[in-house]
Amino acid sequence: MDMRTLGIALLVVVLALTAASEVIKRLLLSKVERLFAAGDFDGCLKVIGGPLAHLTIPSFNREFMRLNALELKQDDEAAAEVIEKLLRRGCSPKQRLALLARGFEFYAAQLDRDKASHMLELVESSGDKGLLRSCRVKFDIVFDKKSGYIHEMEEALPDASPEERAQLCYLLSLQYENKGDKRRADEYLRK
């Protein structure tokens, strides 16, 4: 076999392996998505931790999916370990922002003021003003029991997406609770 034929054969093998890897990755992601939808978080963790996932899905993405499964499984200790592990490793600026946002939300939901405050400092050092404002507002409401964002959030409700609307209603409920208006707090919590 001459060098040209060998080169073409190697190229065909590399292309075939690349295509197979992409197909396997898509199948794995589809399976994980189905398991998430079915509420089988242990199944998700098993697929994500498997050898095919390690070969085809980037490490950060695997760990982020693992964080999702652990959070939904309510394994808070393991979820916190994943957040801390991801914070220590190198990642792209976009990945880091996603992680900081997620970490802040996680610690705010856990009512862990110290860790939420640490995440807020990391968000501040990231330079992302939109994320910083969002985290500061939530910190003020959750930890400092403030209610000064009611008017702004009520005005934002009509144009909000369903996901944003749910978040706004939750934060409005907390603010009315902070003000001592249980009736309005319950009203927004139901929404």
Side-chain angles (χ1 to χ4, degrees), residues 46-111:
K46 185 176 180 181
V47 171
I48 294 164
L52 287 177
H54 280 267
L55 290 172
T56 59
I57 301 172
S59 175
F60 182 88
N61 297 18
R62 274 194 332 271
E63 288 300 311
F64 213 81
M65 287 188 286
R66 191 165 159 252
L67 173 60
N68 290 336
L70 291 168
E71 238 186 304
L72 291 168
K73 192 178 165 188
Q74 297 181 338
D75 187 344
D76 298 334
E77 188 176 318
E81 287 174 16
V82 171
I83 291 169
E84 296 306 318
K85 176 182 176 182
L86 287 172
L87 281 172
R88 288 189 301 270
R89 75 168 19 165
C91 56
S92 74
K94 185 177 177 182
Q95 290 172 329
R96 181 134 176 107
L97 282 178
L99 176 60
L100 293 176
R102 190 57 181 281
F104 178 81
E105 290 293 327
F106 175 78
Y107 291 123
Q110 298 300 310
L111 300 177

Short mmCIF file of all heavy atoms in Angstrom, two decimals, residues 46-111:
data_model
loop_
_atom_site.label_atom_id
_atom_site.label_comp_id
_atom_site.label_asym_id
_atom_site.label_seq_id
_atom_site.Cartn_x
_atom_site.Cartn_y
_atom_site.Cartn_z
N LYS A 46 -26.30 7.57 35.93
CA LYS A 46 -25.64 6.37 35.42
C LYS A 46 -25.17 6.59 33.98
O LYS A 46 -24.03 6.27 33.64
CB LYS A 46 -26.58 5.17 35.50
CG LYS A 46 -25.95 3.86 35.11
CD LYS A 46 -26.91 2.71 35.31
CE LYS A 46 -26.22 1.42 34.92
NZ LYS A 46 -27.12 0.27 35.06
N VAL A 47 -26.03 7.16 33.15
CA VAL A 47 -25.67 7.41 31.75
C VAL A 47 -24.54 8.44 31.68
O VAL A 47 -23.55 8.25 30.97
CB VAL A 47 -26.89 7.88 30.93
CG1 VAL A 47 -26.47 8.34 29.54
CG2 VAL A 47 -27.93 6.78 30.84
N ILE A 48 -24.68 9.53 32.42
CA ILE A 48 -23.69 10.60 32.41
C ILE A 48 -22.33 10.10 32.90
O ILE A 48 -21.29 10.53 32.42
CB ILE A 48 -24.16 11.79 33.29
CG1 ILE A 48 -25.40 12.45 32.67
CG2 ILE A 48 -23.06 12.82 33.47
CD1 ILE A 48 -26.15 13.35 33.64
N GLY A 49 -22.33 9.17 33.84
CA GLY A 49 -21.09 8.65 34.40
C GLY A 49 -20.50 7.49 33.62
O GLY A 49 -19.42 7.00 33.96
N GLY A 50 -21.19 7.06 32.58
CA GLY A 50 -20.74 5.90 31.81
C GLY A 50 -19.57 6.20 30.89
O GLY A 50 -19.28 7.36 30.57
N PRO A 51 -18.89 5.14 30.43
CA PRO A 51 -17.71 5.32 29.58
C PRO A 51 -18.00 6.00 28.24
O PRO A 51 -17.20 6.80 27.78
CB PRO A 51 -17.18 3.90 29.38
CG PRO A 51 -18.30 2.99 29.76
CD PRO A 51 -19.17 3.73 30.71
N LEU A 52 -19.16 5.72 27.64
CA LEU A 52 -19.48 6.37 26.36
C LEU A 52 -19.66 7.88 26.55
O LEU A 52 -19.26 8.67 25.70
CB LEU A 52 -20.72 5.75 25.73
CG LEU A 52 -20.54 4.36 25.14
CD1 LEU A 52 -21.86 3.82 24.61
CD2 LEU A 52 -19.49 4.37 24.04
N ALA A 53 -20.28 8.27 27.66
CA ALA A 53 -20.45 9.70 27.93
C ALA A 53 -19.10 10.37 28.12
O ALA A 53 -18.86 11.48 27.64
CB ALA A 53 -21.33 9.91 29.16
N HIS A 54 -18.18 9.67 28.80
CA HIS A 54 -16.84 10.23 29.03
C HIS A 54 -16.08 10.40 27.71
O HIS A 54 -15.26 11.31 27.58
CB HIS A 54 -16.04 9.34 29.99
CG HIS A 54 -16.40 9.56 31.41
ND1 HIS A 54 -15.74 10.44 32.23
CD2 HIS A 54 -17.39 9.03 32.18
CE1 HIS A 54 -16.29 10.43 33.43
NE2 HIS A 54 -17.29 9.59 33.42
N LEU A 55 -16.37 9.55 26.75
CA LEU A 55 -15.68 9.63 25.47
C LEU A 55 -16.28 10.68 24.53
O LEU A 55 -15.58 11.20 23.66
CB LEU A 55 -15.70 8.27 24.76
CG LEU A 55 -14.84 7.18 25.37
CD1 LEU A 55 -15.12 5.85 24.69
CD2 LEU A 55 -13.37 7.54 25.28
N THR A 56 -17.57 10.96 24.68
CA THR A 56 -18.24 11.79 23.68
C THR A 56 -18.75 13.14 24.17
O THR A 56 -18.93 14.05 23.36
CB THR A 56 -19.44 11.02 23.07
OG1 THR A 56 -20.35 10.67 24.12
CG2 THR A 56 -18.97 9.77 22.35
N ILE A 57 -19.00 13.28 25.46
CA ILE A 57 -19.57 14.53 25.99
C ILE A 57 -18.48 15.28 26.75
O ILE A 57 -17.83 14.70 27.63
CB ILE A 57 -20.78 14.24 26.92
CG1 ILE A 57 -21.86 13.48 26.15
CG2 ILE A 57 -21.34 15.54 27.49
CD1 ILE A 57 -23.01 12.98 27.01
N PRO A 58 -18.28 16.55 26.44
CA PRO A 58 -17.25 17.32 27.16
C PRO A 58 -17.46 17.29 28.67
O PRO A 58 -18.58 17.27 29.17
CB PRO A 58 -17.42 18.75 26.61
CG PRO A 58 -18.08 18.56 25.28
CD PRO A 58 -18.96 17.35 25.42
N SER A 59 -16.37 17.29 29.39
CA SER A 59 -16.36 17.16 30.84
C SER A 59 -17.26 18.18 31.54
O SER A 59 -18.04 17.83 32.41
CB SER A 59 -14.92 17.28 31.35
OG SER A 59 -14.89 17.27 32.74
N PHE A 60 -17.14 19.45 31.17
CA PHE A 60 -17.94 20.48 31.82
C PHE A 60 -19.43 20.19 31.62
O PHE A 60 -20.22 20.29 32.56
CB PHE A 60 -17.61 21.88 31.27
CG PHE A 60 -18.38 22.98 31.94
CD1 PHE A 60 -17.89 23.58 33.09
CD2 PHE A 60 -19.60 23.40 31.44
CE1 PHE A 60 -18.60 24.59 33.73
CE2 PHE A 60 -20.32 24.40 32.07
CZ PHE A 60 -19.82 25.00 33.22
N ASN A 61 -19.80 19.82 30.40
CA ASN A 61 -21.21 19.54 30.11
C ASN A 61 -21.72 18.36 30.92
O ASN A 61 -22.84 18.39 31.45
CB ASN A 61 -21.40 19.27 28.62
CG ASN A 61 -21.05 20.47 27.77
OD1 ASN A 61 -20.39 21.39 28.21
ND2 ASN A 61 -21.49 20.47 26.53
N ARG A 62 -20.90 17.32 31.04
CA ARG A 62 -21.28 16.15 31.85
C ARG A 62 -21.50 16.55 33.30
O ARG A 62 -22.50 16.16 33.92
CB ARG A 62 -20.18 15.07 31.80
CG ARG A 62 -20.26 14.14 30.65
CD ARG A 62 -19.37 12.91 30.84
NE ARG A 62 -18.20 13.08 31.66
CZ ARG A 62 -17.00 13.47 31.22
NH1 ARG A 62 -16.82 13.74 29.94
NH2 ARG A 62 -15.99 13.58 32.05
N GLU A 63 -20.58 17.33 33.84
CA GLU A 63 -20.69 17.73 35.24
C GLU A 63 -21.90 18.64 35.47
O GLU A 63 -22.56 18.57 36.49
CB GLU A 63 -19.40 18.41 35.71
CG GLU A 63 -18.25 17.47 35.89
CD GLU A 63 -18.52 16.36 36.90
OE1 GLU A 63 -18.99 16.66 38.02
OE2 GLU A 63 -18.29 15.19 36.57
N PHE A 64 -22.20 19.50 34.49
CA PHE A 64 -23.35 20.39 34.62
C PHE A 64 -24.64 19.57 34.59
O PHE A 64 -25.57 19.84 35.36
CB PHE A 64 -23.34 21.45 33.51
CG PHE A 64 -23.91 22.77 33.93
CD1 PHE A 64 -23.15 23.67 34.65
CD2 PHE A 64 -25.21 23.12 33.61
CE1 PHE A 64 -23.66 24.89 35.05
CE2 PHE A 64 -25.74 24.33 34.01
CZ PHE A 64 -24.97 25.22 34.73
N MET A 65 -24.70 18.56 33.72
CA MET A 65 -25.86 17.66 33.70
C MET A 65 -25.96 16.89 35.01
O MET A 65 -27.06 16.68 35.54
CB MET A 65 -25.78 16.70 32.51
CG MET A 65 -26.04 17.36 31.18
SD MET A 65 -26.16 16.17 29.82
CE MET A 65 -24.45 15.70 29.61
N ARG A 66 -24.83 16.49 35.52
CA ARG A 66 -24.79 15.78 36.81
C ARG A 66 -25.33 16.69 37.92
O ARG A 66 -26.10 16.24 38.78
CB ARG A 66 -23.35 15.36 37.11
CG ARG A 66 -23.23 14.43 38.25
CD ARG A 66 -21.84 13.77 38.26
NE ARG A 66 -21.61 13.30 39.60
CZ ARG A 66 -20.76 13.84 40.45
NH1 ARG A 66 -19.98 14.82 40.10
NH2 ARG A 66 -20.64 13.36 41.67
N LEU A 67 -24.93 17.96 37.89
CA LEU A 67 -25.44 18.93 38.86
C LEU A 67 -26.97 19.02 38.78
O LEU A 67 -27.65 19.01 39.80
CB LEU A 67 -24.81 20.30 38.61
CG LEU A 67 -25.34 21.48 39.42
CD1 LEU A 67 -25.16 21.24 40.90
CD2 LEU A 67 -24.63 22.76 38.99
N ASN A 68 -27.50 19.08 37.56
CA ASN A 68 -28.96 19.14 37.39
C ASN A 68 -29.63 17.93 38.02
O ASN A 68 -30.62 18.07 38.75
CB ASN A 68 -29.32 19.19 35.90
CG ASN A 68 -28.94 20.50 35.25
OD1 ASN A 68 -28.82 21.52 35.90
ND2 ASN A 68 -28.75 20.46 33.95
N ALA A 69 -29.10 16.75 37.73
CA ALA A 69 -29.70 15.52 38.26
C ALA A 69 -29.62 15.48 39.78
O ALA A 69 -30.59 15.11 40.45
CB ALA A 69 -29.02 14.29 37.64
N LEU A 70 -28.48 15.85 40.31
CA LEU A 70 -28.31 15.82 41.77
C LEU A 70 -29.24 16.82 42.46
O LEU A 70 -29.80 16.53 43.52
CB LEU A 70 -26.86 16.10 42.15
CG LEU A 70 -25.87 15.00 41.79
CD1 LEU A 70 -24.43 15.49 41.93
CD2 LEU A 70 -26.11 13.75 42.64
N GLU A 71 -29.40 17.98 41.85
CA GLU A 71 -30.29 18.98 42.42
C GLU A 71 -31.73 18.48 42.42
O GLU A 71 -32.44 18.59 43.42
CB GLU A 71 -30.19 20.29 41.64
CG GLU A 71 -29.79 21.45 42.48
CD GLU A 71 -29.85 22.75 41.74
OE1 GLU A 71 -29.21 22.88 40.69
OE2 GLU A 71 -30.54 23.64 42.26
N LEU A 72 -32.16 17.93 41.29
CA LEU A 72 -33.52 17.42 41.19
C LEU A 72 -33.74 16.20 42.09
O LEU A 72 -34.84 15.96 42.57
CB LEU A 72 -33.86 17.10 39.74
CG LEU A 72 -33.98 18.34 38.85
CD1 LEU A 72 -34.04 17.96 37.39
CD2 LEU A 72 -35.18 19.18 39.25
N LYS A 73 -32.68 15.47 42.32
CA LYS A 73 -32.73 14.31 43.22
C LYS A 73 -32.70 14.77 44.68
O LYS A 73 -32.91 13.99 45.58
CB LYS A 73 -31.51 13.43 42.91
CG LYS A 73 -31.54 12.09 43.53
CD LYS A 73 -30.31 11.30 43.10
CE LYS A 73 -30.19 10.12 44.03
NZ LYS A 73 -29.00 9.38 43.87
N GLN A 74 -32.43 16.05 44.87
CA GLN A 74 -32.33 16.69 46.18
C GLN A 74 -31.16 16.15 47.00
O GLN A 74 -31.24 16.04 48.22
CB GLN A 74 -33.65 16.59 46.95
CG GLN A 74 -34.78 17.31 46.24
CD GLN A 74 -36.09 17.25 46.97
OE1 GLN A 74 -36.33 16.36 47.78
NE2 GLN A 74 -36.95 18.20 46.69
N ASP A 75 -30.09 15.85 46.30
CA ASP A 75 -28.84 15.46 46.96
C ASP A 75 -27.98 16.72 47.04
O ASP A 75 -27.06 16.92 46.25
CB ASP A 75 -28.14 14.34 46.17
CG ASP A 75 -26.94 13.78 46.90
OD1 ASP A 75 -26.45 14.43 47.86
OD2 ASP A 75 -26.47 12.70 46.51
N ASP A 76 -28.33 17.57 47.99
CA ASP A 76 -27.72 18.90 48.09
C ASP A 76 -26.22 18.85 48.36
O ASP A 76 -25.46 19.66 47.83
CB ASP A 76 -28.43 19.73 49.16
CG ASP A 76 -29.89 19.96 48.84
OD1 ASP A 76 -30.26 19.93 47.64
OD2 ASP A 76 -30.68 20.16 49.78
N GLU A 77 -25.80 17.90 49.15
CA GLU A 77 -24.38 17.80 49.48
C GLU A 77 -23.56 17.47 48.22
O GLU A 77 -22.54 18.10 47.95
CB GLU A 77 -24.17 16.73 50.55
CG GLU A 77 -22.76 16.68 51.09
CD GLU A 77 -22.61 15.67 52.22
OE1 GLU A 77 -23.51 15.61 53.08
OE2 GLU A 77 -21.59 14.97 52.23
N ALA A 78 -24.02 16.51 47.46
CA ALA A 78 -23.31 16.13 46.23
C ALA A 78 -23.38 17.26 45.20
O ALA A 78 -22.40 17.51 44.48
CB ALA A 78 -23.89 14.84 45.66
N ALA A 79 -24.52 17.95 45.12
CA ALA A 79 -24.66 19.06 44.18
C ALA A 79 -23.66 20.18 44.53
O ALA A 79 -23.01 20.74 43.65
CB ALA A 79 -26.08 19.60 44.18
N ALA A 80 -23.53 20.48 45.81
CA ALA A 80 -22.57 21.50 46.25
C ALA A 80 -21.15 21.09 45.91
O ALA A 80 -20.34 21.93 45.49
CB ALA A 80 -22.71 21.75 47.75
N GLU A 81 -20.84 19.81 46.03
CA GLU A 81 -19.50 19.31 45.67
C GLU A 81 -19.23 19.52 44.18
O GLU A 81 -18.12 19.90 43.80
CB GLU A 81 -19.36 17.83 46.02
CG GLU A 81 -19.23 17.56 47.50
CD GLU A 81 -19.23 16.07 47.83
OE1 GLU A 81 -19.03 15.24 46.92
OE2 GLU A 81 -19.44 15.74 49.02
N VAL A 82 -20.23 19.29 43.35
CA VAL A 82 -20.06 19.49 41.90
C VAL A 82 -19.83 20.97 41.60
O VAL A 82 -18.95 21.32 40.81
CB VAL A 82 -21.28 18.96 41.10
CG1 VAL A 82 -21.19 19.36 39.63
CG2 VAL A 82 -21.37 17.44 41.24
N ILE A 83 -20.58 21.84 42.26
CA ILE A 83 -20.40 23.29 42.05
C ILE A 83 -18.97 23.68 42.41
O ILE A 83 -18.28 24.37 41.65
CB ILE A 83 -21.42 24.11 42.86
CG1 ILE A 83 -22.83 23.92 42.28
CG2 ILE A 83 -21.05 25.59 42.87
CD1 ILE A 83 -23.94 24.46 43.15
N GLU A 84 -18.51 23.24 43.57
CA GLU A 84 -17.16 23.59 44.02
C GLU A 84 -16.10 23.00 43.08
O GLU A 84 -15.10 23.66 42.78
CB GLU A 84 -16.94 23.12 45.46
CG GLU A 84 -17.83 23.80 46.49
CD GLU A 84 -17.76 25.32 46.47
OE1 GLU A 84 -16.64 25.87 46.35
OE2 GLU A 84 -18.81 25.96 46.56
N LYS A 85 -16.32 21.79 42.63
CA LYS A 85 -15.39 21.15 41.69
C LYS A 85 -15.30 21.95 40.38
O LYS A 85 -14.20 22.21 39.89
CB LYS A 85 -15.86 19.72 41.41
CG LYS A 85 -15.04 18.97 40.38
CD LYS A 85 -15.64 17.59 40.15
CE LYS A 85 -14.93 16.84 39.05
NZ LYS A 85 -15.55 15.52 38.82
N LEU A 86 -16.45 22.35 39.87
CA LEU A 86 -16.47 23.11 38.61
C LEU A 86 -15.86 24.50 38.78
O LEU A 86 -15.23 25.02 37.86
CB LEU A 86 -17.89 23.22 38.06
CG LEU A 86 -18.46 21.93 37.46
CD1 LEU A 86 -19.94 22.10 37.12
CD2 LEU A 86 -17.67 21.52 36.23
N LEU A 87 -16.01 25.09 39.96
CA LEU A 87 -15.42 26.41 40.20
C LEU A 87 -13.89 26.35 40.18
O LEU A 87 -13.23 27.31 39.81
CB LEU A 87 -15.88 26.97 41.55
CG LEU A 87 -17.26 27.58 41.60
CD1 LEU A 87 -17.65 27.92 43.03
CD2 LEU A 87 -17.36 28.80 40.70
N ARG A 88 -13.33 25.21 40.61
CA ARG A 88 -11.88 25.07 40.66
C ARG A 88 -11.25 24.77 39.31
O ARG A 88 -10.06 24.96 39.13
CB ARG A 88 -11.49 23.96 41.65
CG ARG A 88 -11.70 24.33 43.10
CD ARG A 88 -11.12 23.29 44.03
NE ARG A 88 -11.66 21.97 43.85
CZ ARG A 88 -12.73 21.48 44.48
NH1 ARG A 88 -13.37 22.24 45.34
NH2 ARG A 88 -13.16 20.26 44.25
N ARG A 89 -12.02 24.29 38.38
CA ARG A 89 -11.45 23.89 37.10
C ARG A 89 -11.56 25.01 36.08
O ARG A 89 -12.35 25.93 36.22
CB ARG A 89 -12.11 22.62 36.58
CG ARG A 89 -13.48 22.86 36.04
CD ARG A 89 -14.08 21.75 35.27
NE ARG A 89 -13.51 20.46 35.47
CZ ARG A 89 -14.07 19.34 35.11
NH1 ARG A 89 -15.24 19.36 34.53
NH2 ARG A 89 -13.50 18.18 35.31
N GLY A 90 -10.75 24.92 35.08
CA GLY A 90 -10.79 25.91 34.01
C GLY A 90 -12.00 25.68 33.12
O GLY A 90 -12.39 24.55 32.87
N CYS A 91 -12.60 26.76 32.68
CA CYS A 91 -13.71 26.68 31.75
C CYS A 91 -13.80 27.99 30.98
O CYS A 91 -13.14 28.97 31.33
CB CYS A 91 -15.02 26.35 32.46
SG CYS A 91 -15.48 27.47 33.78
N SER A 92 -14.61 28.00 29.95
CA SER A 92 -14.74 29.21 29.14
C SER A 92 -15.48 30.28 29.95
O SER A 92 -16.19 29.96 30.91
CB SER A 92 -15.53 28.90 27.86
OG SER A 92 -16.91 28.72 28.16
N PRO A 93 -15.34 31.54 29.56
CA PRO A 93 -16.07 32.61 30.27
C PRO A 93 -17.59 32.38 30.27
O PRO A 93 -18.25 32.63 31.28
CB PRO A 93 -15.70 33.88 29.49
CG PRO A 93 -14.36 33.57 28.90
CD PRO A 93 -14.41 32.10 28.56
N LYS A 94 -18.12 31.89 29.17
CA LYS A 94 -19.57 31.63 29.08
C LYS A 94 -19.96 30.51 30.06
O LYS A 94 -20.97 30.62 30.75
CB LYS A 94 -19.93 31.23 27.65
CG LYS A 94 -21.39 31.06 27.41
CD LYS A 94 -21.66 30.75 25.95
CE LYS A 94 -23.14 30.51 25.71
NZ LYS A 94 -23.43 30.16 24.33
N GLN A 95 -19.16 29.45 30.11
CA GLN A 95 -19.43 28.37 31.05
C GLN A 95 -19.33 28.86 32.49
O GLN A 95 -20.15 28.49 33.33
CB GLN A 95 -18.45 27.21 30.82
CG GLN A 95 -18.66 26.46 29.54
CD GLN A 95 -17.56 25.46 29.27
OE1 GLN A 95 -16.40 25.65 29.67
NE2 GLN A 95 -17.90 24.38 28.58
N ARG A 96 -18.35 29.69 32.76
CA ARG A 96 -18.16 30.20 34.12
C ARG A 96 -19.37 31.04 34.56
O ARG A 96 -19.84 30.90 35.68
CB ARG A 96 -16.88 31.03 34.21
CG ARG A 96 -16.64 31.58 35.62
CD ARG A 96 -15.22 31.37 36.04
NE ARG A 96 -14.94 31.97 37.32
CZ ARG A 96 -14.78 31.26 38.44
NH1 ARG A 96 -14.83 29.96 38.41
NH2 ARG A 96 -14.51 31.87 39.57
N LEU A 97 -19.88 31.88 33.65
CA LEU A 97 -21.06 32.68 34.00
C LEU A 97 -22.26 31.78 34.28
O LEU A 97 -23.01 32.02 35.23
CB LEU A 97 -21.39 33.66 32.87
CG LEU A 97 -20.55 34.91 32.80
CD1 LEU A 97 -20.96 35.76 31.60
CD2 LEU A 97 -20.63 35.72 34.08
N ALA A 98 -22.45 30.75 33.46
CA ALA A 98 -23.56 29.82 33.69
C ALA A 98 -23.40 29.14 35.04
O ALA A 98 -24.38 28.98 35.79
CB ALA A 98 -23.61 28.78 32.57
N LEU A 99 -22.18 28.76 35.37
CA LEU A 99 -21.92 28.11 36.65
C LEU A 99 -22.15 29.07 37.82
O LEU A 99 -22.74 28.69 38.84
CB LEU A 99 -20.49 27.57 36.69
CG LEU A 99 -20.04 26.95 38.00
CD1 LEU A 99 -20.92 25.77 38.38
CD2 LEU A 99 -18.58 26.53 37.92
N LEU A 100 -21.68 30.30 37.69
CA LEU A 100 -21.88 31.28 38.77
C LEU A 100 -23.36 31.55 39.00
O LEU A 100 -23.81 31.61 40.15
CB LEU A 100 -21.14 32.58 38.45
CG LEU A 100 -19.61 32.49 38.43
CD1 LEU A 100 -19.01 33.83 38.01
CD2 LEU A 100 -19.07 32.06 39.79
N ALA A 101 -24.10 31.69 37.92
CA ALA A 101 -25.55 31.92 38.05
C ALA A 101 -26.20 30.73 38.73
O ALA A 101 -27.01 30.89 39.66
CB ALA A 101 -26.17 32.15 36.67
N ARG A 102 -25.84 29.54 38.30
CA ARG A 102 -26.42 28.33 38.86
C ARG A 102 -26.01 28.14 40.32
O ARG A 102 -26.82 27.78 41.17
CB ARG A 102 -25.96 27.14 38.04
CG ARG A 102 -26.66 25.88 38.36
CD ARG A 102 -28.18 26.10 38.18
NE ARG A 102 -28.86 24.91 38.51
CZ ARG A 102 -28.95 23.87 37.71
NH1 ARG A 102 -28.44 23.92 36.51
NH2 ARG A 102 -29.57 22.80 38.11
N GLY A 103 -24.74 28.39 40.61
CA GLY A 103 -24.27 28.27 41.99
C GLY A 103 -24.96 29.25 42.91
O GLY A 103 -25.37 28.89 44.03
N PHE A 104 -25.12 30.49 42.45
CA PHE A 104 -25.82 31.48 43.27
C PHE A 104 -27.25 31.03 43.55
O PHE A 104 -27.72 31.07 44.69
CB PHE A 104 -25.82 32.87 42.62
CG PHE A 104 -26.58 33.87 43.43
CD1 PHE A 104 -25.99 34.49 44.51
CD2 PHE A 104 -27.92 34.13 43.15
CE1 PHE A 104 -26.71 35.37 45.31
CE2 PHE A 104 -28.64 35.02 43.93
CZ PHE A 104 -28.04 35.64 45.01
N GLU A 105 -27.95 30.61 42.50
CA GLU A 105 -29.34 30.15 42.66
C GLU A 105 -29.42 28.98 43.63
O GLU A 105 -30.32 28.92 44.47
CB GLU A 105 -29.93 29.74 41.30
CG GLU A 105 -30.19 30.90 40.37
CD GLU A 105 -31.29 31.84 40.85
OE1 GLU A 105 -32.26 31.38 41.50
OE2 GLU A 105 -31.18 33.05 40.59
N PHE A 106 -28.47 28.05 43.51
CA PHE A 106 -28.46 26.88 44.38
C PHE A 106 -28.31 27.29 45.84
O PHE A 106 -29.09 26.87 46.71
CB PHE A 106 -27.33 25.93 43.97
CG PHE A 106 -27.17 24.76 44.89
CD1 PHE A 106 -28.03 23.68 44.83
CD2 PHE A 106 -26.15 24.74 45.84
CE1 PHE A 106 -27.89 22.60 45.69
CE2 PHE A 106 -26.00 23.66 46.70
CZ PHE A 106 -26.87 22.59 46.63
N TYR A 107 -27.32 28.13 46.13
CA TYR A 107 -27.08 28.52 47.52
C TYR A 107 -28.18 29.43 48.06
O TYR A 107 -28.49 29.37 49.25
CB TYR A 107 -25.70 29.15 47.68
CG TYR A 107 -24.58 28.15 47.48
CD1 TYR A 107 -23.59 28.34 46.53
CD2 TYR A 107 -24.53 26.98 48.25
CE1 TYR A 107 -22.58 27.41 46.34
CE2 TYR A 107 -23.53 26.04 48.07
CZ TYR A 107 -22.56 26.27 47.11
OH TYR A 107 -21.57 25.33 46.94
N ALA A 108 -28.78 30.23 47.19
CA ALA A 108 -29.91 31.05 47.64
C ALA A 108 -31.09 30.15 48.01
O ALA A 108 -31.75 30.37 49.02
CB ALA A 108 -30.31 32.05 46.55
N ALA A 109 -31.33 29.12 47.21
CA ALA A 109 -32.42 28.18 47.50
C ALA A 109 -32.14 27.41 48.79
O ALA A 109 -33.07 27.05 49.51
CB ALA A 109 -32.62 27.22 46.34
N GLN A 110 -30.86 27.17 49.07
CA GLN A 110 -30.48 26.47 50.31
C GLN A 110 -30.48 27.42 51.52
O GLN A 110 -30.26 26.97 52.64
CB GLN A 110 -29.07 25.87 50.16
CG GLN A 110 -28.94 24.85 49.06
CD GLN A 110 -29.86 23.68 49.29
OE1 GLN A 110 -29.88 23.11 50.37
NE2 GLN A 110 -30.64 23.34 48.29
N LEU A 111 -30.70 28.70 51.25
CA LEU A 111 -30.65 29.75 52.28
C LEU A 111 -29.29 29.78 52.97
O LEU A 111 -29.18 30.08 54.16
CB LEU A 111 -31.78 29.59 53.30
CG LEU A 111 -33.19 29.65 52.72
CD1 LEU A 111 -34.23 29.41 53.82
CD2 LEU A 111 -33.45 30.97 52.01
#
